[in-house]
Amino acid sequence: MNFGRGGPMRLRMFALIAALGPLAVGSAPAVAGLAGAYVDTVSYFDVSDPPPGPTSVSASTPEPTPDCTTIHYCNILNYPIPGSSQNFPFPTVPSTSPLNYVLDSLSETYVSVSDNQITITNNLSAPFCFTSQCTGPFSGFGFYFSSGVDITKVTASGPSDFLPISGGLSCTPTSIIVNLNGDSPQVGDKLILDVYFSGSGPIALETSTWAMMLIGFAGLGFAAYRRTGVLARAV
């Protein structure tokens, strides 16, 4: 490409505009997720709909939590620690790998929680809520997170025998409720919950980024205008 007599100046202008591309992407606001939040994961059988879980949890939330103080079929899931497992203090969701709970003795499932996804793996071929006393409308899970997360939507995917019942998947900014009452999953069936947050979707450029891009394009237009004027005078 021939940049003419003003080649060095115009070349620097092109370099400036090229540099704005990565800046536009890098300066876009990050989308928040579950990573870094405390999580209280609870399984329920035969309870009210929705279950009476907390609105939010923190490291100082006392044990036992409000979830299982008066409910018979209720279990706060344990996570592994060296040589054992525990359910309190509540764990934080890692940023690089999922939080993997040990086998839940009530629901006979394995649960993992990552930054934007929850996976529930069934380990027993039997109806969900397999005791004869189960007559309540809710058997499933509650996931309760510390303040700071901003959940806006949750979607579910999995085999037809291991999906939330109609109207059985709901969320607040800090919690997710999953009702599997009556499901009959097979061993190894996986229910995957994809979690969406405020700010998910197309990323809008910041005002400062737009301003810098416009200045760059204006400079390029001015350089082209001067070149046109020089050529006209030469003729």
Side-chain angles (χ1 to χ4, degrees):
M1 179 181 293
N2 181 13
F3 288 93
R5 289 181 59 197
M9 180 64 183
R10 296 191 185 101
L11 184 58
R12 285 194 294 272
M13 187 64 67
F14 276 109
L16 172 62
I17 294 171
L20 289 173
L23 178 62
V25 175
S27 62
V31 176
L34 300 176
Y38 295 104
V39 55
D40 175 14
T41 300
V42 186
S43 61
Y44 303 94
F45 277 174
D46 192 32
V47 298
S48 59
D49 184 13
T55 57
S56 175
V57 298
S58 68
S60 60
T61 300
E63 185 188 21
T65 64
D67 320 318
C68 296
T69 53
T70 58
I71 303 173
H72 182 64
Y73 295 117
C74 176
N75 189 47
I76 303 172
L77 272 62
N78 281 28
Y79 58 92
I81 59 174
S84 184
S85 65
Q86 64 186 27
N87 59 20
F88 191 82
F90 297 131
T92 57
V93 180
S95 58
T96 57
S97 60
L99 165 64
N100 296 312
Y101 289 93
V102 302
L103 180 66
D104 176 33
S105 58
L106 178 62
S107 65
E108 290 292 330
T109 60
Y110 292 98
V111 176
S112 67
V113 181
S114 65
D115 183 48
N116 57 9
Q117 193 174 82
I118 298 172
T119 302
I120 304 171
T121 304
N122 183 58
N123 196 55
L124 179 68
S125 182
F128 224 75
C129 197
F130 47 80
T131 67
S132 60
Q133 293 85 5
C134 283
T135 57
F138 187 97
S139 293
F141 296 88
F143 301 89
Y144 309 100
F145 301 93
S146 54
S147 59
V149 301
D150 192 8
I151 301 168
T152 57
K153 183 177 71 171
V154 181
T155 60
S157 60
S160 57
D161 57 3
F162 199 33
L163 288 173
I165 65 172
S166 178
L169 180 60
S170 61
C171 67
T172 71
T174 57
S175 68
I176 299 171
I177 303 297
V178 187
N179 191 354
L180 303 171
N181 198 42
D183 280 7
S184 296
Q186 301 301 307
V187 174
D189 281 355
K190 293 181 182 293
L191 169 60
I192 298 175
L193 304 176
D194 289 308
V195 187
Y196 299 84
F197 309 90
S198 176
S200 298
I203 299 176
L205 298 181
E206 293 180 349
T207 303
S208 59
T209 302
W210 279 114
M212 293 184 68
M213 291 180 67
L214 290 173
I215 291 171
F217 284 121
L220 179 61
F222 179 70
Y225 170 78
R226 287 192 61 190
R227 182 173 184 271
T228 303
V230 169
L231 290 176
R233 288 194 296 271
V235 174

